[in-house]
Amino acid sequence: MACATIADMSASVPLPVPPMLTNSVVDFLRRHLPFSQMDEAHLRLMATRAQLAYFPAGTSLLGPGDGPPQRFFVVQRGGVNLRDGSAARPDQSGVQLQTGDCFPLSALIEHGAVVHEHVAAGDTFCYEFERALFDTLLRESSLFAAYCTQRLAYMLQESRRQIHARAAEDALDQHSMGSLLGALVRRAPITCAPDATVRDALTLMQKHRIGAVMVIDGTGSVVGIFTERDVLDRVALGNTGLDILLGHVMTPAPLCLDENASAFDAALLMVRHGIRHVPVTRAGRLIGLVSERDLFALQRAGLRDIHRAIAGADTIDTLVAAATGVRHLTRNLLVQGMGVEQLTQLIVALNDQLVARAIALVTQAAALDDIEFCWIALGSEGRQEQTISSDQDNAIVFAAHDSAHADALRARLLPVAMQINQALSRLGFPLCQGDIMAGNPLWCLSLAEWQSRFGQWLRNPSPQALLNAAIFFDFRALHGSTGLADTLRTWLEAEACSQQGFLRMLAANAVASAPPLNFFGTLSASARIDLKAQGARPFIDAARVLALAHGIGATHTAQRLRASALHAGTAGEAEAMVEAFHFIQMLRLMRQCKALDDGGPPNQIEVASLNELDRRILNEALRQAGKLQTRLRLDYAL
């Protein structure tokens, strides 16, 4: 390892930092992860042990031949390239380690040599620390240890923290959707026995100014809930009188959550079941009640309002207003730092309700009750990965006795399917430019016809067949006779895993487009990236191959990666890839929210527009995509 001190460029011993400059070292460390989150005492210790070394351009700091490193570096100025030994020249545009980056983490933890040659990109200064200090920090600082062992996850957590902090400036008392329900319970539950009267319950509700009372039995177990809605539906409209027992008019066996469930879990429960209150329990005993108002106090469009608007809509025009509420809610939750996996689940749950209601409104006058059919979602909707700008990808599978019967049923279904496609377009789901929609006769097929069509693609993997597989094989049931879709999924799982030629071609297609990283594995600061095609797509395509190869029925990319990792015994590696995929999806959602205002491309971003932390995470996320593609190349000898 060749290096030079500031005082003498030809010297090989780094220069200790003078005691009077230790404060400046601490200030420098505070500006960079993970040091910005570490204890003051540990930063002071680092400052007293720091040595400042200078490396001229092209100097090798570390290499595979140097053996296990005995020094820990933090880039103070300049940059460091990582080479595999084939590069002959340094290139400033390919800098991988920049100001504030620390290295070589893996080699120090594993007590092995570095894999790449570390070369100074231009004149570079680094703080150096003895290996013993690294070991001390690893042992004493949980934050430092977490960063070293789970660097990507740590940076993602910090990025989400910063997003949430920015949102908190406008909503200081808004709870994070990751908060535990136990922390949201504000008062002891107001309860009644089943043999109390409605009059008793209403008196309590008025006294405590609450919208619901819990009904518990003699053991303290929850047996029901009595809400303002019950008063309207079962008392006032039912003409039962106020002296009827609660046990006759309460909502029995309400859905409860444990205190360790998250606010998001409660929100999702409210969306899926159209409820407004969730009882919170501890070891099976009631401790309180969380309402929609508690979760979304600052939302202009609450979940309950949206759900009721969708369920009660009697025209497509009414649904249009509800769809606007869904997009508004999505934007608010995104800027508040809600996790993208949770947020997309919420978007999908609400959009599914919109689509199902639209289908019901269109079909109720079409006299199709004698036809057994299922509306299936494809593409991103089928994977439950819809974003704000996702267009329509859908189809129909129906039951038919033979080809003549199929033709007759298709003739009745197609006009209705076209009306549904147009209705969904009005709700904010653009028509598919490739006409992959249920209103196209090619994609309104009987179960037997779908099996035949899928079989042709599997046995004859032409470029068009591979393109179709990337869309249609991600199907899921959305409305109607879901058993038809389940049967088709079971059949596909069994067929696909035996078609090795098809899987190899699909894998080759999945690795054809590499992540937009330069020779040194980094993003150019001047790059413009399509987050869908160049960021998310490599994960999606690779996960599909792995799922089909292992007979995994899941369509969601994260679920596919996790399930396939169980087969390969690489759960830890898969989680890093899932985190990387979710970060790219979060950037897509943020860009799409801005595009609603500025009219720009919904999936494209300028790398220079990202802050330093998000640029580093995006770079690491794209490297994870590259690792996933490398796995496919090895598996299929590509």
Side-chain angles (χ1 to χ4, degrees), residues 273-524:
H273 298 279
I275 57 178
R276 194 172 181 176
H277 301 85
V278 175
V280 181
T281 61
R282 177 184 298 145
R285 296 298 181 89
L286 181 70
I287 65 169
L289 193 67
V290 171
S291 70
E292 180 197 29
R293 187 175 301 168
D294 295 327
L295 300 182
F296 299 99
L298 301 181
Q299 298 299 328
R300 282 182 276 171
L303 284 176
R304 175 67 175 178
D305 293 334
I306 293 173
H307 174 83
R308 291 178 65 179
I310 294 173
D314 54 2
T315 65
I316 298 299
D317 288 336
T318 309
L319 274 182
V320 170
T324 301
V326 172
R327 288 190 288 273
H328 176 76
L329 182 63
T330 299
R331 296 178 70 171
N332 284 352
L333 294 178
L334 180 64
V335 299
Q336 289 169 17
M338 187 178 193
V340 71
E341 185 171 21
Q342 299 170 330
L343 182 55
T344 51
Q345 287 182 53
L346 194 61
I347 294 173
V348 168
L350 291 169
N351 284 344
D352 282 358
Q353 292 180 17
L354 281 169
V355 174
R357 186 58 185 158
I359 295 172
L361 289 174
V362 174
T363 58
Q364 65 186 4
L368 299 177
D369 292 343
D370 60 322
I371 303 179
E372 184 183 359
F373 75 96
C374 180
W375 185 278
I376 56 177
L378 312 170
S380 62
E381 188 179 9
R383 294 190 302 273
Q384 301 181 64
E385 293 164 3
Q386 279 179 301
T387 56
I388 295 173
S389 66
S390 296
D391 61 2
Q392 290 187 53
D393 285 314
N394 45 58
I396 286 178
V397 54
F398 59 88
H401 305 312
D402 51 39
S403 59
H405 189 214
D407 289 339
L409 295 181
R410 186 166 26 252
R412 293 174 58 191
L413 286 167
L414 282 173
V416 179
M418 293 178 187
Q419 293 180 48
I420 294 172
N421 289 143
Q422 292 297 328
L424 295 181
S425 176
R426 292 185 58 197
L427 296 181
F429 306 106
L431 296 173
C432 175
Q433 294 183 355
D435 202 19
I436 300 177
M437 295 181 291
N440 184 336
L442 292 174
W443 316 127
C444 181
L445 305 176
S446 70
L447 176 60
E449 289 171 334
W450 275 117
Q451 290 173 337
S452 175
R453 186 71 54 85
F454 281 5
Q456 291 173 10
W457 294 343
L458 290 169
R459 291 186 295 273
N460 302 290
S462 65
Q464 185 60 46
L466 295 173
L467 179 61
N468 288 335
I471 300 172
F472 288 89
F473 283 12
D474 293 346
F475 72 87
R476 69 180 174 93
L478 202 151
H479 181 78
S481 301
T482 59
L484 291 168
D486 294 340
T487 300
L488 184 58
R489 172 60 62 189
T490 301
W491 177 89
L492 178 60
E493 289 174 25
E495 287 290 315
C497 63
S498 64
Q499 299 292 333
Q500 290 302 308
F502 170 83
L503 291 174
R504 190 174 189 278
M505 295 281 290
L506 195 65
N509 212 42
V511 302
S513 180
L517 300 175
N518 60 26
F519 178 83
F520 297 97
T522 58
L523 279 168
S524 169

Side-chain angles (χ1 to χ4, degrees), residues 152 539 573 576-577 580 620-629:
L152 177 59
F539 291 98
E573 179 181 336
M577 292 176 179
E620 184 63 29
L622 293 173
R623 289 185 195 171
Q624 292 293 330
K627 290 174 62 177
L628 190 54
Q629 291 184 330

